[in-house]
């Protein structure tokens, strides 16, 4: 694994870029290729892939809060809900805005809710935040349940879809592949209209989601490799030392929180648009836990790790639907096994692994110096 | 200019519940000098650092830096204003590389935010390049250039101690406070470090040095302040301190007996 990484990083830059482009094309083409074993029998493959991209988006956002800044957020679904509800009431329930106008407002609303929640709580340390965020996620849901203005239990339907390109027929049609017994055919009966955001074909939503994920990956990289990313990591590692090295830790924690809320709200709004309908059950505490599982399973702090985590958490239960009754059980057992075998997640940041290994040696060294100090005193 | 006090500690008292860790302590540090702060274990030296750097709020008394009171200033503001420190127990950022640790220090004087980072604005590039240059220069100065990309946790104990000094210097302080930087070093390493501290001063930093080893402090400091049970019991040039009966009774006597 690490050898592979090393040889990959040695490749010349044009080759690397070509590989990334190829990977991206493959990712975009995945629902058209419908590869056997990977497709989801009984569930719309494009729809599953769309949900995977939403989990990826959420995992990237939550990774900033939990992985980079080290703030435990147990109510992340709250931001998702604020984004979703804002988009819903602006495009359907109380107004008739097009989705593209509603999206920025939805994201703004979730970001503001992040700042409002973070400002009083991020000054206090540690476990307190976990409890407050947990409460926040539930309160948002309960408010939705009890507010007529937000549709109560019935929820809100007819949330606007993204605008289609090229009318209801699209610009052109892309055929899918058909995998027969040992043969692969281009299936001209089964096509995706480019680019129509309709009811049946969910592939365009997946493309939209994937595009947003790719943009977020770039943004994540740019932010992480800057003063902001360093300040987050320093704060996570030793808040007092960071503060004494001139890092305004509270401001940076709030920034992490607001950025996470921004991304969570964006995912929520996109999700609401795709579903066309939301109700409070879309925002149960369970989802906060699943989002966190995606981050932790993949390896918090590693953007590729959390993408893998998101894929596993969103995809596996859909792929193995036939074991419906056992899904939760298997998922739980897998988590327990993971916690025992790979407590840092499947793909922890390389540095965490190395740091942990050497922690022990360092401790031994410090014990050694204690002895020396005593000898001098 | 060299005689203007850069830091004035004025009747500083600090109590933890019933325990008076600092009792009416006053001293000045002049620009460009190395001031030694010594005293037996538990005398209140680290507490004094903590009061200066804003970790603890003084029970009474004032601390002025460049003539301005530090009361009510946040810790990061004090650092940005020009006071940096190291820790008696090493407190690096273990999962960050040596270079990144120093960059965090350099960032103290930077203002790049999310927006400039996201769009790689000129300000971001400028600060990033300047910080990188300064950090690498400091790592070279500390003899850590080869370890720049090593994780702080992976560095040897001595390198970690030096890295802490580099990180503190990167914040571009006027006053740098070193809390037992040679703790755990052997005599040879200690001498090398003391030479290094002299070089730090020669680069224009004012140094406040806590050190356990008396003889080393004698060699490197311009003046010494002695604490015992939170009280200042002596202040003066190293030679005066060495001959001060109160100091000998409180500190030197014990030290020399044990050492021989
Ligand atoms: N946070 C604290 N709470 C209570 N007592 C403290 C605290 N910090 C230091 N002390 C006490 O203050 C006294 C001075 O400690 P310190 O400044 O660490 O001494 P030194 O650095 O000179 O060895 C000690 O008696 C110590 O136990
Ligand atoms: Mg001490």
């Amino acid at each position: 694994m690490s050898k592979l990484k090393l040889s990959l990083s040695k490749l010349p830059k044009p080759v690397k870029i070509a590989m990334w482009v190829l990977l991206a094309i493959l990712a975009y083409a995945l629902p058209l290729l419908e590869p056997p074993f990977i497709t989801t029998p009984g569930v719309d493959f494009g729809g599953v892939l769309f949900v995977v991209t939403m989990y990826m988006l959420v995992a990237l956002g939550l990774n900033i809060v939990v992985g980079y800044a080290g703030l435990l957020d147990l109510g992340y679904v709250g931001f998702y809900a604020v984004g979703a509800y804002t988009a819903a009431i602006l495009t359907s329930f109380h107004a008739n805005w097009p989705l593209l106008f509603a999206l920025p407002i939805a994201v703004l609303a979730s970001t503001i809710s992040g700042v409002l929640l973070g400002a009083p709580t991020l000054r206090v340390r540690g476990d307190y935040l976990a409890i407050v965020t947990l409460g926040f996620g539930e309160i948002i849901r309960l408010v939705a349940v009890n507010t007529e203005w937000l549709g109560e239990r019935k929820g809100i339907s007819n949330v606007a879809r993204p605008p289609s390109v090229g009318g209801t027929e699209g610009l052109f049609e892309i055929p899918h592949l058909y995998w027969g017994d040992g043969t692969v055919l281009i299936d001209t009966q089964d096509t995706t209209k480019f680019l129509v955001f309709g009811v049946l074909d969910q592939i365009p939503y997946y493309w939209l989601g994937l595009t947003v994920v790719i943009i977020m990956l770039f943004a994540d990289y740019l932010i992480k490799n800057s003063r902001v990313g360093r300040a987050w990591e320093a704060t996570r590692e030793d808040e007092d030392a960071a503060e004494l090295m001139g890092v305004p830790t509270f401001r940076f924690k709030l920034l992490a929180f607001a950025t996470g809320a921004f991304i969570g709200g964006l995912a929520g709004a996109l999700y609401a648009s795709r579903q066309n309908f939301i109700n409070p059950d879309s925002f149960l505490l369970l989802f906060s836990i699943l989002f966190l599982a995606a981050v932790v399973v993949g390896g918090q702090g590693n953007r590729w790790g959390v993408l893998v985590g998101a894929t596993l958490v969103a995809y596996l239960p859909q792929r193995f639907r036939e074991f419906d009754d056992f899904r939760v059980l298997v998922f739980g057992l897998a988590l327990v096994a993971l916690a025992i075998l790979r407590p840092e997640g499947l793909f922890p940041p390389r540095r965490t692994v190395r740091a942990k290994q050497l922690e022990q040696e360092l401790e031994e060294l410090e014990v050694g110096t204690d002895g020396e100090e005593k000898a001098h005193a | 200019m060299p005689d203007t006090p850069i830091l004035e500690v004025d009747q500083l008292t600090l109590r933890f519940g019933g325990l008076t860790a600092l009792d009416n302590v006053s001293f000045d540090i002049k620009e460009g000098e190395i001031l030694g702060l010594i005293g037996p274990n538990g005398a209140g030296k680290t507490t004094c650092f903590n009061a200066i750097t804003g970790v603890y709020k003084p029970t009474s008394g004032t601390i002025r830096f460049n003539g301005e009171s530090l009361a009510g200033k946040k810790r990061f503001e004090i650092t940005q204003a020009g006071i940096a420190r190291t820790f008696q127990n090493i407190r690096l950022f273990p999962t960050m590389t040596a270079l990144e640790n120093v960059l965090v220090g350099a960032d103290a004087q930077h203002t790049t935010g999310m927006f400039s980072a996201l769009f790689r604005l000129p300000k971001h590039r400028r600060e990033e390049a300047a910080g990188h240059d300064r950090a690498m220069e400091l790592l070279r100065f500390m003899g850590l250039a080869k370890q720049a990309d090593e994780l702080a946790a992976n560095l040897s104990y001595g390198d970690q101690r030096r890295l802490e000094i580099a990180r503190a210097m990167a914040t571009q302080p006027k006053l740098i406070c070193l809390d037992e930087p040679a703790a755990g070093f052997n005599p040879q390493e200690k001498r090398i470090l003391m030479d290094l501290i002299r070089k730090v001063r020669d680069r224009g930093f004012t140094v406040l040095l806590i050190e356990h080893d008396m003889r080393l402090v004698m060699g490197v400091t311009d003046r010494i302040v002695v604490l015992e049970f939170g009280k200042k019991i002596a202040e003066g040039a190293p030679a005066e301190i060495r001959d001060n009966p109160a100091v000998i009774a409180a500190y030197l006597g014990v030290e020399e007996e044990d050492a021989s």
Side-chain angles (χ1 to χ4, degrees):
Chain A
M1 176 69 206
S2 57
K3 260 187 201 152
L4 179 72
K5 202 159 194 178
L6 214 66
S7 54
L8 279 180
S9 64
K10 271 196 205 127
L11 291 172
K13 203 164 184 188
V15 178
K16 265 198 267 183
I17 292 175
M19 278 177 55
W20 283 121
V21 171
L22 209 69
L23 192 72
I25 291 174
L26 206 68
Y28 277 101
L30 193 59
L32 302 174
L33 300 177
E34 296 188 13
F37 304 114
I38 295 180
T39 47
T40 44
V43 212
D44 180 66
F45 187 42
V48 170
L49 288 179
F50 169 75
V51 173
V52 168
T53 61
M54 287 304 103
Y55 271 75
M56 284 180 163
L57 201 52
V58 162
L60 283 175
L62 190 55
N63 182 47
I64 291 178
V65 181
V66 178
Y68 293 167
L71 305 163
L72 186 53
D73 185 341
L74 295 180
Y76 196 64
V77 78
F79 302 122
Y80 193 72
V82 170
Y85 268 98
T86 311
I89 58 176
L90 286 179
T91 63
S92 153
F93 212 41
H94 295 290
N96 248 322
W97 294 23
L99 183 73
L100 289 187
F101 290 165
L103 266 186
I105 306 296
V107 165
L108 187 70
S110 66
T111 308
I112 290 174
S113 70
V115 172
L116 290 181
L117 181 67
T121 45
L122 290 172
R123 289 183 198 280
V124 192
R125 205 160 292 198
D127 310 337
Y128 191 66
L129 182 70
I131 310 240
V132 171
T133 50
L134 185 70
F136 168 75
E138 277 298 278
I139 286 169
I140 294 287
R141 189 178 65 83
L142 290 175
V143 166
V145 168
N146 292 304
T147 311
E148 204 189 328
W149 198 68
L150 291 173
E152 291 176 321
R153 280 193 189 283
K154 297 186 302 294
I156 300 172
S157 44
N158 292 323
V159 182
R161 301 180 182 285
S164 296
V165 181
T168 48
E169 289 309 308
L171 298 175
F172 48 86
E173 297 189 8
I174 311 173
H176 294 207
L177 286 189
Y178 173 78
W179 300 72
D181 297 324
T183 55
V184 189
L185 300 171
I186 291 176
D187 187 349
T188 46
Q189 300 301 305
D190 185 7
T191 61
T192 290
K193 292 179 182 133
F194 188 89
L195 189 61
V196 178
F197 293 96
V199 186
L200 291 176
D201 193 351
Q202 307 203 28
I203 293 174
Y205 295 94
Y206 163 66
W207 286 335
L208 176 65
L210 185 60
T211 307
V212 177
V213 166
I214 290 173
I215 292 171
M216 279 307 159
L217 268 173
F218 273 111
D220 186 273
Y221 172 84
L222 292 170
I223 295 168
K224 185 79 204 308
N225 292 297
S226 77
R227 170 172 176 256
V228 178
R230 285 191 295 269
W232 283 339
E233 194 168 0
T235 305
R236 180 193 73 204
E237 289 301 307
D238 189 334
E239 190 167 340
D240 290 313
E243 184 90 9
L244 284 162
M245 291 305 129
V247 179
T249 55
F250 171 71
R251 262 183 243 165
F252 277 103
K253 285 194 290 183
L254 194 58
L255 183 65
F257 217 64
T259 310
F262 175 100
I263 297 174
L266 178 62
L270 290 175
Y271 173 80
S273 165
R274 153 65 212 124
Q275 289 297 103
N276 202 228
F277 162 80
I278 53 169
N279 72 8
D281 288 343
S282 316
F283 309 102
L284 297 172
L285 172 64
L286 174 71
F287 291 102
S288 283
I289 295 170
L290 286 177
F291 295 162
L292 197 61
V295 172
V296 175
V297 166
Q300 46 181 304
N302 179 354
R303 64 178 76 85
W304 298 105
V306 303
L307 290 190
V308 173
T311 308
L312 294 181
V313 168
Y315 170 79
L316 286 187
Q318 298 298 330
R319 174 65 185 79
F320 298 103
R321 258 185 179 248
E322 57 264 41
F323 309 109
D324 212 12
D325 294 343
F326 302 106
R327 262 197 313 178
V328 177
L329 181 67
V330 172
F331 187 61
L333 286 178
L335 279 186
V336 171
L338 191 75
I340 295 167
L341 298 174
R342 298 209 61 140
E344 306 290 333
L346 287 174
F347 303 100
R350 187 172 40 96
R351 40 188 53 200
T352 312
V353 184
R354 282 164 66 203
K356 287 278 174 227
Q357 272 170 2
L358 276 124
E359 205 164 79
Q360 201 179 347
E361 287 173 37
L362 186 76
E363 264 167 30
E364 282 162 21
L365 260 166
E366 298 233 337
V367 172
T369 52
D370 271 359
E372 211 176 316
E373 242 169 73
K374 279 192 195 93
H376 279 282
Chain B
M1 195 66 183
D3 269 2
T4 43
I6 185 164
L7 187 86
E8 301 157 77
V9 175
D10 193 9
Q11 303 193 335
L12 179 63
T13 297
L14 211 146
R15 286 196 198 92
F16 297 112
L19 179 96
T20 306
L22 289 172
D23 189 358
N24 223 4
V25 173
S26 302
F27 63 90
D28 289 350
I29 306 175
K30 294 174 185 55
E31 197 161 347
E33 78 173 340
I34 302 180
L35 181 77
L37 185 61
I38 67 171
N41 261 328
K45 307 181 294 291
T46 299
T47 304
C48 190
F49 265 30
N50 282 334
I52 293 171
T53 52
V55 178
Y56 299 145
K57 207 182 261 148
T59 310
S60 66
T62 51
I63 302 166
R64 276 185 299 276
F65 180 63
N66 280 332
E68 205 182 311
S69 170
L70 292 180
K73 284 221 162 113
K74 299 206 175 71
R75 291 171 293 177
F76 71 87
E77 291 170 336
I78 294 176
T79 309
Q80 289 171 350
I83 302 180
R85 68 173 287 177
T86 64
F87 300 88
Q88 185 171 349
N89 308 308
I90 299 173
R91 291 182 78 167
L92 291 164
F93 308 119
T95 62
M96 303 175 84
T97 65
L99 178 64
E100 286 168 343
N101 267 273
V102 183
L103 281 174
V104 170
D107 284 337
Q109 302 300 339
H110 293 166
T111 54
T112 300
M114 184 107 113
F115 189 79
S116 351
L118 210 46
F119 296 98
R120 290 296 190 253
L121 297 185
K123 179 169 146 200
H124 164 86
R125 291 162 193 250
R126 214 181 317 117
E127 288 189 347
E128 205 71 4
H132 192 271
D133 288 350
R134 180 153 18 107
M136 277 316 292
E137 197 272 321
L138 285 169
L139 285 175
R140 268 193 296 279
F141 176 69
M142 283 289 152
L144 294 170
K146 275 209 202 79
Q147 288 93 320
D149 292 324
E150 201 57 67
L151 294 188
N154 294 13
L155 296 182
S156 72
Y157 177 79
D159 286 348
Q160 294 197 354
R161 282 239 172 258
R162 276 185 288 276
L163 181 57
E164 270 214 337
I165 301 178
R167 183 179 65 174
M169 287 169 78
T171 66
Q172 297 187 302
K174 295 188 190 71
L175 172 67
I176 183 163
C177 304
L178 307 175
D179 196 345
E180 304 206 22
F185 279 15
N186 66 35
Q188 158 87 2
E189 290 171 322
K190 284 187 181 184
R191 268 193 303 279
I192 295 173
L193 186 75
M194 290 305 139
D195 286 341
L196 204 59
I197 290 173
R198 228 177 267 123
K199 281 191 211 145
V200 169
R201 188 263 305 275
D202 294 343
R203 290 175 64 133
F205 296 94
T206 307
V207 180
L208 176 55
L209 172 68
I210 292 181
E211 178 47 57
H212 216 77
D213 190 319
M214 274 299 294
R215 274 155 302 178
L216 278 174
V217 185
M218 295 288 156
V220 74
T221 50
D222 300 311
R223 272 187 321 127
I224 293 177
V225 169
V226 189
L227 293 180
E228 188 194 16
F229 298 124
K231 286 197 175 71
K232 184 173 90 174
I233 58 167
E235 175 177 357
E240 295 163 29
I241 295 297
R242 190 173 346 184
D243 300 333
N244 185 316
V247 177
I248 294 169
Y251 190 96
L252 284 179
V254 189
E255 179 92 356
E256 308 247 304
E257 248 169 53
D258 272 19
S260 52

